[in-house]
Amino acid sequence: MKPFREMNKHDLTARALQEEIDSRGYALIRRVLPHDELTRVLMDVTQILSRAGWLRPGHDPLERIADLSAACGDPDPAFKRTYQDVFNLESLHALPHHPALQQVMKMLVGNYLLIHPKPIGRLIFPHCERLTVHAHQDYRFMGGDPECFTVWIPLHDCPANVGPLRVVESSHRLGYVHHEDENLHVPEIPAGADVGGDWVGGQINAGDVLIFHSMTVHAASPNLSNQLRISLDCRFQDYRRVFNPANVVFAGDSGKSWEKTYAGWRSDDLKYYWKGLPIEFQPSKSEIEQLSKTEDSPGKRARYARMLSQLN
């Protein structure tokens, strides 16, 4: 596997960043976010994980020493319960809005910056092959406009044995690649498929950000350490481009809601921030309303009805 090509925040220009993404499909930028901000979020997350029994007693939770007997991941019920507490953290949602990160993303996207409302916390136990995320493109899950970008942020130093992300260089140029869905909780690109380039990877440290295009093929490296790997996925686009409303609502009958997420927050600043932007949903609200009445299956009609109720 080839090593990442690195960029330094202090040498960054909009043209250089855009050319890097256009050419390679990714950019690894060192030392973007301050350590104290990341440590604050990591502390909030690991306190929840410690209470859930995921970490070995007798260690500082910030060390992230995993209790392998508690190993779980989506869709395990134990994982879902704990993950919801992590998702509700105000500090987790605030991190993608950090001014230093917004400055970088405006170089790529422009000033009409939309930060997607649902960041994804990754809580990865070591030595669990069934929980390793295999090759995929984020566009498979996000929809909307392909000119959308994921930023992967480790909340701690992430050497190769802890399982940082790796990407296939220039794979975004292939367009959408077929994903297998059958008998898989998370769709993935089949092993051996042509993904158009070489895998690149390496250590990514706290403060670094890995940015990649929604069509860039990527995967997690296996976590071979004794620690949980804790990271954040957040997504950015130009808000003048179409936006899939599924990225702002909660699926299924889980009972999740923004009201429940916000219940313990101290500030109102980031609550429903996207409602102040002229976002173009695709499908639109009127199209969703029509689909809630005309889809063939009751399950699909109910899905669109739930989506419409949350958007309203």
Side-chain angles (χ1 to χ4, degrees), residues 91-133:
S91 60
L92 193 83
H93 288 262
L95 191 58
H97 294 263
H98 193 281
L101 183 55
Q102 289 198 57
Q103 181 183 16
V104 169
M105 294 312 296
K106 284 180 179 179
M107 291 183 186
L108 181 60
V109 172
N111 288 327
Y112 300 102
L113 183 66
L114 170 61
I115 302 167
H116 281 214
K118 294 196 295 184
I120 302 172
R122 302 294 186 186
L123 316 171
I124 308 299
F125 275 89
H127 303 287
C128 290
E129 169 57 28
R130 74 176 181 90
L131 302 178
T132 300
V133 177

Side-chain angles (χ1 to χ4, degrees), residues 40-78:
R40 188 176 300 115
V41 182
L42 183 62
M43 186 178 300
D44 290 344
V45 173
T46 54
Q47 285 175 351
I48 292 171
L49 303 189
S50 182
R51 290 196 297 269
W54 289 18
L55 303 177
R56 292 279 299 275
H59 296 269
D60 184 339
L62 287 174
E63 295 178 18
R64 316 179 326 278
I65 306 299
D67 184 339
L68 293 181
S69 67
C72 59
D74 201 16
D76 300 336

Side-chain angles (χ1 to χ4, degrees), residues 36 40 45 73 103-104 106 108 113 127 131 137 144 154 160-161 166 175 185 189 204 215 231 272-273 283 310:
D36 59 343
R40 188 176 300 115
V45 173
Q103 181 183 16
V104 169
K106 284 180 179 179
L108 181 60
L113 183 66
H127 303 287
L131 302 178
Q137 296 166 305
N161 70 317
R166 51 197 176 98
H185 176 64
I189 296 171
I204 305 178
M215 293 291 188
S231 60
Y272 303 108
Y273 64 88
Q310 292 183 55

Side-chain angles (χ1 to χ4, degrees), residues 78-95:
F79 178 86
K80 287 179 176 291
R81 287 192 298 270
T82 299
Y83 179 76
Q84 189 58 46
D85 290 338
V86 171
F87 179 81
N88 290 348
L89 287 170
E90 184 175 6
S91 60
L92 193 83
H93 288 262
L95 191 58

Side-chain angles (χ1 to χ4, degrees), residues 183-227:
N183 299 320
L184 294 171
H185 176 64
V186 179
E188 61 187 51
I189 296 171
D194 179 13
V195 290
D198 296 321
W199 284 98
V200 295
Q203 178 160 335
I204 305 178
N205 297 320
D208 301 342
V209 297
L210 176 65
I211 305 170
F212 52 91
H213 191 277
S214 73
M215 293 291 188
T216 299
V217 176
H218 60 285
S221 302
N223 183 352
L224 304 177
S225 70
N226 64 348
Q227 299 168 294

Side-chain angles (χ1 to χ4, degrees), residues 133-166:
V133 177
H134 297 120
H136 67 281
Q137 296 166 305
D138 280 356
Y139 184 74
R140 169 64 180 77
F141 306 93
M142 293 188 304
D145 193 288
E147 286 302 301
C148 183
F149 304 91
T150 296
V151 179
W152 188 76
I153 304 171
L155 299 184
H156 50 79
D157 288 354
C158 199
N161 70 317
V162 179
L165 284 199
R166 51 197 176 98

